[in-house]
Amino acid sequence: VAGEFGVYIPLSDPAAAARIVASLLTDPDELLRRETEVRTRYQPTSWRTVAEVVLEGCAMAQKNAAQSEQKNVQYGSEYSMRQLRIRTDGLMGSSMMDTLNQSHAALIKQGTVKSAQKVQGLLCRDPNWHAPEDWGCWANGGKARLHFAINLAELDSEEELLLYTVMRFLPPLVPSSIRMNLAGSTQVDCRRIRESEAIFVWPLGAHDLRKQAHAKQGIIDIDVGFEVSDINPAAKEECRKIDSRDIFFGIRSFCLLRSGDTAGRLDIAEMWGYSIKTGRQLTVREDITVVDDVVFAND
């Protein structure tokens, strides 16, 4: 209701609140400036008006519930998995602005992540994720999935879809492996874990997408899973000592690019100093396993 004309105090920090009030009492020029701003520019907003806006937003959300269930994502947009609440208690001025800017900062691409994309990123999680934190979201028990939808009409028949993920690992997992699998496909993509935080790119072939997904009004539903592997018992025990929630990896942010978007791919590569992990690709059938185009017979 007060908007930019109010002076806000942190309820959880009495000392900080007292300093803010004291600063107004001891600085008559600042107090006069604020009073002048209120007299000349302030347009009062009633709580009734605020409530009506909230109810209108709820009605729109209910009306678009079917679209929300699809969790559509756009090529080239970054989706955060950080918690929505921004903690600014006790912060003022530049410290508050730095916190706000950091909460919306993009990790994969230059720029910021909009609030709508933060919400959409969290909606893409399956139930096997812990509650989001300031940095991102931990998977439960070493495996979890993302569900989202893409517009089939915007993807060429032979074009790949590239899934970029910024992932975090507990230190005892170095070195282990993280695998990605596409539901309904034999593709299993494997990456070595060499550091506690890294960016990975996972290619999703258009042929596999069309084969495993059902098209509905030009939309394809995608189901991508991640799971850690090659973990020895000692490393698992060390992870549980660090955090008892049975966590091993998490995701901070993800982004989808078409393989033909050369400019977008170069921008990401430059931002990350060309340190994107590509690893090896596995294709598994009952009779053979293919690793980097080399075929091995399964006994």
Side-chain angles (χ1 to χ4, degrees):
V1 175
E4 64 180 293
F5 302 97
V7 177
Y8 300 93
I9 60 175
L11 298 179
S12 60
D13 190 342
R19 286 195 298 271
I20 294 171
V21 174
S23 68
L24 293 175
L25 296 175
T26 57
D27 189 348
D29 292 337
E30 174 63 15
L31 183 59
L32 178 62
R33 184 190 70 79
R34 288 184 174 276
E35 290 175 342
T36 303
E37 286 282 299
V38 172
R39 283 196 301 269
T40 58
R41 295 180 51 224
Y42 178 63
Q43 297 293 326
T45 302
S46 68
W47 282 111
R48 180 181 181 85
T49 301
V50 173
E52 289 173 349
V53 172
V54 171
L55 289 175
E56 182 181 354
C58 292
M60 291 179 62
Q62 185 177 15
K63 180 179 178 180
N64 297 324
Q67 293 182 356
S68 298
E69 289 175 0
Q70 290 181 326
K71 300 179 285 291
N72 291 3
V73 298
Q74 303 296 320
Y75 303 125
S77 295
E78 183 170 337
Y79 296 88
S80 169
M81 294 181 65
R82 290 170 283 186
Q83 68 178 9
L84 299 178
R85 182 184 177 187
I86 304 170
R87 301 179 185 276
T88 58
D89 294 347
L91 299 179
M92 293 289 291
S94 59
S95 297
M96 178 181 289
M97 291 306 301
D98 289 343
T99 299
L100 293 173
N101 290 334
Q102 185 177 3
S103 70
H104 288 278
L107 301 173
I108 299 175
K109 305 178 66 179
Q110 297 285 351
T112 60
V113 178
K114 298 179 180 178
S115 295
Q117 292 164 348
K118 295 175 71 174
V119 173
Q120 194 76 333
L122 293 175
L123 289 175
C124 291
R125 301 173 303 159
D126 78 346
N128 210 42
W129 295 88
H130 287 284
E133 302 176 12
D134 289 339
W135 66 272
C137 194
W138 291 111
N140 183 33
K143 60 180 179 181
R145 308 192 71 84
L146 295 178
H147 304 289
F148 50 84
I150 62 171
N151 190 336
L152 175 65
E154 298 177 5
L155 192 65
D156 294 340
S157 59
E158 297 301 324
E159 195 171 29
E160 282 188 327
L161 181 62
L162 304 176
L163 174 61
Y164 289 81
T165 58
V166 177
M167 309 188 80
R168 177 172 289 188
F169 306 93
L170 290 185
L173 290 185
V174 182
S176 298
S177 298
I178 180 78
R179 292 191 176 194
M180 182 279 294
N181 66 82
L182 183 64
S185 170
T186 57
Q187 175 184 334
V188 179
D189 227 349
C190 183
R191 305 285 187 270
R192 292 295 289 174
I193 302 171
R194 304 186 187 281
E195 50 200 329
S196 59
E197 185 166 312
I199 183 172
F200 299 88
V201 57
W202 313 91
L204 308 176
H207 175 72
D208 282 335
L209 294 180
R210 286 176 170 81
K211 184 173 63 175
Q212 67 89 29
H214 66 274
K216 184 179 181 181
Q217 297 180 344
I219 301 297
I220 291 184
D221 294 330
I222 307 298
D223 180 350
V224 178
F226 300 93
E227 182 175 4
V228 291
S229 60
D230 305 330
I231 312 176
N232 62 61
K236 283 187 176 181
E237 186 60 30
E238 287 300 315
C239 288
R240 293 189 175 104
K241 289 179 180 178
I242 295 174
D243 196 304
S244 61
R245 292 176 296 171
D246 199 27
I247 61 175
F248 301 101
F249 79 93
I251 292 182
R252 301 194 67 190
S253 198
F254 68 91
C255 176
L256 293 158
L257 281 187
R258 296 165 51 186
S259 59
D261 184 2
T262 305
R265 295 168 64 185
L266 285 175
D267 286 344
I268 295 174
E270 290 175 357
M271 181 172 176
W272 280 84
Y274 299 92
S275 62
I276 300 174
K277 308 301 185 292
T278 55
R280 59 178 181 170
Q281 180 168 303
L282 311 181
T283 303
V284 181
R285 298 205 317 254
E286 291 184 359
D287 55 335
I288 65 170
T289 299
V290 181
V291 182
D292 294 335
D293 297 327
V294 180
V295 179
F296 298 88
N298 294 332
D299 296 331

